Amino acid sequence: RYFKPDSSLNADGYFVAGTTTLLNPYDYEVDFREPVNEGVLDTPYPEKILLAFYKSLGQTDAKPTAVEYLSSQAASEFRAGRLRTGSPFGVDQIRRATVKRISYFPTQDTDTAARVIAEVVFTSRAGQQSNPVEVTWLLQRAENRWRLHTLE
């Protein structure tokens, strides 16, 4: 959540005037506490793969790259420009994808498939912003790594 101070009659800095209650945030997103690195690929949590994938879209220097979060089938579609991401913009036109919400069902160590749902807002390189888009991804675990496989 992102807050900014307000000096109106109803507010005192970051708080509702006369209280210790924070003002409503002006924006929010789901994010990692630290920068994403190669270690995220080994996570036992499929929802982290989804979040890292969307954070990498539009970032030319992302490590890992967007394609590294994908199954071999999805990676082929991505390279060919045919992978659906939920964006109203082409993958090459995305400047940023902001995950606003994630929901999922916990997985077990023996599970080989997972479903993760997210609400994403896309920003194009031209500065256009999409409405929130709900996406549902099916992930597969291969060689003990989760990969995004198909957008349902």
Side-chain angles (χ1 to χ4, degrees):
R1 294 182 186 152
Y2 300 102
F3 298 91
K4 57 184 168 185
D6 186 346
S7 58
S8 68
L9 293 175
N10 298 329
D12 180 19
Y14 293 93
F15 300 95
V16 175
T19 73
T20 56
T21 304
L22 280 171
L23 295 170
N24 289 328
Y26 70 90
D27 199 11
Y28 63 95
E29 69 180 278
V30 179
D31 202 355
F32 291 99
R33 284 182 32 187
E34 298 180 9
V36 176
N37 60 46
E38 297 284 334
V40 75
L41 294 170
D42 294 318
T43 183
Y45 307 108
E47 64 276 11
K48 286 179 76 173
I49 296 297
L50 178 139
L51 178 59
F53 169 74
Y54 280 109
K55 287 195 67 64
S56 71
L57 289 180
Q59 309 304 309
T60 56
D61 59 347
K63 297 286 187 220
T65 62
V67 75
E68 292 178 76
Y69 300 108
L70 304 172
S71 68
S72 58
Q73 175 186 322
S76 295
E77 292 176 22
F78 184 84
R79 288 186 195 100
R82 294 189 312 265
L83 182 71
R84 294 181 316 128
T85 62
S87 174
F89 315 114
V91 172
D92 60 333
Q93 296 302 310
I94 298 171
R95 183 178 74 210
R96 180 179 175 172
T98 305
V99 176
K100 297 291 193 173
R101 180 181 53 83
I102 292 180
S103 61
Y104 57 93
F105 296 99
T107 57
Q108 303 298 315
D109 291 341
T110 56
D111 290 343
T112 58
R115 182 171 279 110
V116 180
I117 302 166
E119 184 176 278
V120 186
V121 173
F122 297 91
T123 305
S124 74
R125 295 196 183 282
Q128 297 171 299
Q129 192 171 58
S130 74
N131 289 324
V133 177
E134 184 173 285
V135 295
T136 302
W137 278 94
L138 178 62
L139 290 88
Q140 293 180 336
R141 187 181 348 220
E143 299 173 9
N144 210 30
R145 284 188 166 180
W146 287 108
R147 301 280 192 231
L148 294 164
H149 184 61
T150 55
L151 185 68
E152 295 183 338

